[in-house]
Amino acid sequence: MIRSAVAPFRLGTLGLAAILVLGGCSESGGDPNAEAAEKNSSSPSASESPTESATPSATPTPTAAYKPATAEGPAENVPLPVMPELAKEESKEGLVAFGDYWFSLINYGYETGDPAPVKEISAPECSICQSFYEDLEEGYVNEDWIQGGKLNVLSSGTEFVKTPEGRYQLLLSVIQEAGANRGPNGKVYGQGPGDEASTAQIMEATYDSGRWIVNLVENM
């Protein structure tokens, strides 16, 4: 059965390794008359005497390099997007920032097969979210993976007025890149050429207990 490459938005884990840098410390000291003393002593010169060496700094743990998905294999070491502080605010600017963040988690899901970050900030009634979860489950069955399909938010805006349901609406212009469902040994289950033009979409979200929750995303 031919699988759709990245159909959910036809409207439209690896954490980074921590870098630990341990600062070194050193001690220096000595007799200010050492130079004179060494001339009159049979003991080794100051330059030959053992001194306390500086503690070497620990080598930073290298951050695993990100690699996008290819025809040969899935993406590797995909960094999990971090929600900006602005996206936590109940404001016009906060909703716009949140919309961008939500779509970045969609793209993270395409690259990793992990729907959890999107589920955390999306309501159960979000039907397009359910389609996205199903696409990931199908796209990452066994050793398969999704290549491409990235969604780019070109612009977004809101009047920031609540609907009768208590939701705020965000209007977006989104365009999706080409994508494919792939498997081992060169298998291709389905391909999408990508959008030639952007599509207008609407997101509805509620703000509750200090955070945004997506209720709806669909074509206008």
Side-chain angles (χ1 to χ4, degrees):
M1 178 178 177
I2 298 298
R3 298 209 295 266
S4 169
V6 259
F9 288 94
R10 290 293 170 236
L11 35 181
T13 21
L14 177 69
L16 291 179
I19 300 177
L20 180 62
V21 180
L22 300 179
C25 62
S26 62
E27 294 183 9
S28 61
D31 190 342
N33 298 316
E35 184 176 352
E38 70 177 2
K39 296 180 181 179
N40 302 311
S41 174
S42 59
S43 60
S45 66
S47 61
E48 295 173 346
S49 299
T51 58
E52 186 176 352
S53 60
T55 302
S57 298
T59 302
T61 303
T63 299
Y66 162 71
K67 296 181 180 179
T70 65
E72 287 70 45
E76 299 178 16
N77 310 315
V78 183
L80 177 65
V82 176
M83 181 185 292
E85 288 300 315
L86 182 59
K88 301 175 184 179
E89 296 181 1
E90 186 179 10
S91 65
K92 179 181 293 188
E93 295 77 13
L95 179 57
V96 169
F98 175 78
D100 287 342
Y101 172 68
W102 189 84
F103 274 93
S104 73
L105 293 183
I106 291 291
N107 292 328
Y108 174 81
Y110 281 145
E111 291 200 277
T112 63
D114 183 7
V118 173
K119 285 184 177 182
E120 187 175 349
I121 57 173
S122 301
E125 69 266 21
C126 176
S127 59
I128 201 64
C129 300
Q130 297 299 326
S131 297
F132 168 70
Y133 307 148
E134 293 170 5
D135 275 3
L136 293 193
E137 183 176 357
E138 187 176 4
Y140 282 86
V141 66
N142 298 323
E143 297 180 352
D144 297 344
W145 67 93
I146 294 174
Q147 178 190 6
K150 181 179 180 180
L151 289 150
N152 297 294
V153 177
L154 303 182
S155 62
S156 59
T158 176
E159 294 184 354
F160 207 66
V161 176
K162 283 187 178 181
T163 67
E165 295 78 18
R167 302 174 180 178
Y168 292 99
Q169 295 182 328
L170 179 67
L171 306 183
L172 308 103
S173 176
V174 180
I175 192 167
Q176 187 170 31
E177 299 177 6
N181 284 81
R182 297 188 176 276
N185 304 315
K187 291 182 180 178
V188 180
Y189 298 102
Q191 298 188 66
D195 295 333
E196 294 184 359
S198 62
T199 56
Q201 298 180 17
I202 183 170
M203 171 186 287
E204 291 190 352
T206 53
Y207 191 85
D208 183 51
S209 301
R211 67 176 190 146
W212 290 103
I213 295 291
V214 170
N215 304 97
L216 174 150
V217 181
E218 62 181 24
N219 272 348
M220 292 183 64

